[in-house]
Amino acid sequence: MISPCPRYSPTGKDCPKLPPGESLDYSMSSPLGYNEPLCKHTTPWPTPAAEWTAGQSVTVKLAPGGAPHGGGHCQFSLSYDGGKTFVVLHEILG
């Protein structure tokens, strides 16, 4: 995904500054390991990646090429509380 900026994305558009001590994730489309959490990054950004009003349309831009691992779990979610919890808007189980 390119826009809105996914957490820790090296290719995201208009991304906020990373939290102190964190680095970009250059393997975002790689599958997670067997015992890894579903969300690789749990430290929220100091500022929101984007803000919307309820009912507002949002355009999502995906990176070309898709995921090289040929399937798996993909989730589009957002947080109402600064990254403490997330609400799933769309999910694909492959």
Side-chain angles (χ1 to χ4, degrees):
M1 192 161 86
I2 295 171
S3 177
C5 182
R7 206 184 267 201
Y8 296 84
S9 172
T11 59
K13 184 178 177 189
D14 301 323
C15 294
K17 183 179 175 182
L18 289 173
E22 299 294 331
S23 59
L24 294 174
D25 182 355
Y26 289 96
S27 65
M28 291 188 85
S29 59
S30 297
L32 297 173
Y34 173 71
N35 284 325
E36 292 184 58
L38 287 178
C39 185
K40 290 195 279 186
H41 305 288
T42 57
T43 303
W45 277 322
T47 58
E51 294 181 304
W52 300 297
T53 303
Q56 175 183 348
S57 294
V58 176
T59 300
V60 175
K61 185 174 181 185
L62 301 175
H69 56 82
H73 185 98
C74 183
Q75 188 179 85
F76 191 87
S77 58
L78 59 83
S79 176
Y80 291 98
D81 58 8
K84 293 176 187 155
T85 59
F86 287 84
V87 175
V88 176
L89 300 176
H90 187 73
E91 183 172 53
I92 299 171
L93 300 174

